[in-house]
Amino acid sequence: MSTHNACVGRAREAFLRVFGTRATHAASAPGRVNLIGEHTDYTGGYVLPVAINLRCAAVGRITYGSGPFRAHAADLNQTIEFDPRGTPDQLPRGHWGRYVAGVIAGFIGRGWDVPTIEVSVATDVPMGGGLSSSAALEVAVAQFVSGICGQEIDPREEALLCQRAEQAWAGVPCGVMDQMAAIMSREGHALLIDCRTMETQHVPMPSESDAALVVFNTNVKHALAAGEYARRRAACETATRALGVESLRDVTLETIDAASSALSDHERRCARHVVTENQRTVTAADALRSGDLAEFGRLMSQSHASLRDDMRVSCQELDTLVELASACEGVYGARMTGAGFGGCAIALIEPSKSASATETIAAGYRQRCGRDCSIIPARASAGACCVAV
Ligand code: GLA
């Protein structure tokens, strides 16, 4: 709750200053890391994310007037007016307001009579760092809208609404993992999601005395990220069609080999990553349940290799972090997390070795990449919430 309180506090202060009155409702939603199951959600595969102790807050009130919708970003000290019944191009591409407006537009599209509101947002999730800052913002706003309207929405419908907002208003063809994690996570647990059926299972995380989960932010974001993400998704879709199946879940490595003349090299590699990653994710969830951290760590490392060599979404900075981590005593496993091309890597470490391993990794990264990484000790945290204040 402390991270909820911190960002809600900032958002409330800014709300009072900018709008001259008190907010009546406060919502917050967490960022996430994905333990394993990368680039599989948009093909209906398995993912195993965990919500972390960094959150985004949305606070505000109904204005009961005829004025425009208004939103303020406390971290940027920026206020906008917008019309959620209008189109995305009322705001520049990449603008944070598109996520806010897109989510409200989603509720209106469902037939909700959303009153005119003023909202202030504040986030602890680093923007564009691969920890799902955008999903945390979308979900915080969705919880706020649902709270202020006094209406419930099914959590899966809410995740899909937020995903659609990101696709239609921000132009990112993302899967549904990040939004599901921000909504449905439970403290102390990872969330196994079957992205085909949207079924979920809460898998207990190791206690803090058994393992430390450490996030290393490369502090780089390569410009090609958005275009390359879309290219991976497109390759998976054409491979699925060429293989004549509904989902890459329905094929094996043998099927891919047998059909290799129907696939380009890029499609074959992407399909192979998805097939092997789905297997690894299911096995990893079992290893986590049975407390087999050595096996879990091995699967993390294999996942990274597959993302680097088959899916080809890693980069030099991520590979360096993973290589440095894998060479440290006490590290069970390490891998890139999220879409790739920069952003963050994670490592699962024996608690007594965590401080020295972290130091070695940070020093090696500085030496080899010529910049500092940021280190975030992660705790498996609860999903979104909204309260009247
Ligand atoms: C981003 C997307 C997710 C997922 C990951 C890769 O975080 O938003 O839907 O596809 O990349 O696993």
Side-chain angles (χ1 to χ4, degrees):
M1 209 58 181
S2 59
T3 50
H4 167 85
N5 292 340
C7 60
V8 163
R10 285 209 321 285
R12 284 180 71 181
E13 261 174 47
F15 189 87
L16 186 58
R17 187 165 40 77
V18 173
F19 298 115
T21 181
R22 287 185 188 287
T24 59
H25 288 74
S28 78
R32 64 97 191 91
V33 294
N34 188 17
L35 295 177
I36 194 161
E38 213 68 84
H39 283 272
T40 51
D41 62 347
Y42 51 76
T43 64
Y46 295 101
V47 293
L48 187 64
V50 51
I52 58 171
N53 43 314
L54 294 175
R55 299 180 82 88
C56 177
V59 312
R61 62 161 200 145
I62 299 175
T63 60
Y64 299 108
S66 56
F69 283 70
R70 296 202 290 166
H72 176 77
D75 306 301
L76 305 170
N77 196 20
Q78 221 179 64
T79 309
I80 54 162
E81 292 183 357
F82 61 95
D83 176 7
R85 293 174 176 84
T87 54
D89 57 13
Q90 64 187 282
L91 292 162
R93 268 191 96 79
H95 196 283
W96 58 272
R98 284 202 181 194
Y99 299 99
V100 178
V103 168
I104 299 173
F107 282 104
I108 294 170
R110 286 176 71 83
W112 286 32
D113 186 16
V114 181
T116 307
I117 52 185
E118 287 168 340
V119 60
S120 159
V121 297
T123 191
D124 293 326
V125 189
M127 304 294 288
L131 300 178
S132 280
S133 52
S134 50
L137 173 58
E138 290 148 18
V139 171
V141 171
Q143 293 273 319
F144 165 74
V145 170
S146 154
I148 214 153
C149 293
Q151 258 177 282
E152 300 257 321
I153 176 168
D154 170 80
R156 289 173 178 81
E157 292 289 322
E158 184 181 358
L160 291 169
L161 182 154
C162 291
Q163 179 197 20
R164 274 194 301 273
E166 180 144 354
Q167 293 183 341
W169 283 69
V172 181
C174 63
V176 77
M177 163 172 73
D178 305 341
Q179 293 78 7
M180 285 285 283
I183 294 168
M184 303 205 53
S185 290
R186 182 184 290 170
E187 190 168 357
H189 293 73
L191 185 72
L192 178 65
I193 311 169
D194 176 335
C195 297
R196 173 140 80 177
T197 62
M198 303 278 277
E199 277 163 21
T200 56
Q201 286 175 39
H202 295 282
V203 183
M205 286 289 284
S207 73
E208 284 181 17
S209 56
D210 288 330
L213 178 63
V214 184
V215 181
F216 298 87
N217 190 341
T218 59
N219 290 320
V220 298
K221 175 108 198 139
H222 291 291
L224 38 75
E228 289 294 320
Y229 181 88
R231 217 176 132 237
R232 297 306 178 281
R233 184 171 181 152
C236 289
E237 280 163 7
T238 47
T240 307
R241 277 198 298 277
L243 292 165
V245 287
E246 192 201 311
S247 155
L248 290 176
R249 275 268 284 280
D250 304 326
V251 302
T252 60
L253 285 181
E254 291 71 42
T255 326
I256 295 173
D257 283 346
S260 66
S261 60
L263 302 173
S264 70
D265 181 56
H266 181 58
E267 289 164 348
R268 192 172 48 79
R269 284 167 181 266
C270 291
R272 194 164 62 192
H273 165 75
V274 171
V275 169
T276 57
E277 186 77 350
N278 277 329
Q279 283 166 355
R280 279 188 291 271
T281 305
V282 173
T283 314
D286 285 340
L288 203 57
R289 277 193 202 95
S290 61
D292 189 346
L293 298 181
E295 167 74 352
F296 192 85
R298 261 194 303 279
L299 292 160
M300 286 174 80
S301 304
Q302 285 171 14
S303 164
H304 184 80
S306 176
L307 288 158
R308 182 191 59 210
D309 303 335
D310 269 346
M311 202 64 168
R312 292 186 287 183
V313 292
S314 188
C315 62
Q316 187 236 333
E317 291 86 354
L318 287 167
D319 290 344
T320 302
L321 281 174
V322 169
E323 210 179 285
L324 288 162
S326 308
C328 283
E329 200 192 336
V331 171
Y332 291 112
R335 61 183 289 278
M336 55 158 276
T337 189
F341 306 106
C344 293
I346 50 170
L348 197 64
I349 315 178
E350 265 177 51
S352 65
K353 306 278 170 37
S354 168
S356 64
T358 303
E359 226 172 85
T360 309
I361 296 163
Y365 184 75
R366 189 176 313 120
Q367 200 202 347
R368 284 171 55 179
C369 295
R371 61 167 72 234
D372 283 325
C373 61
S374 317
I375 293 158
I376 307 163
R379 245 182 313 115
S381 303
C385 59
C386 181
V387 288
V389 288

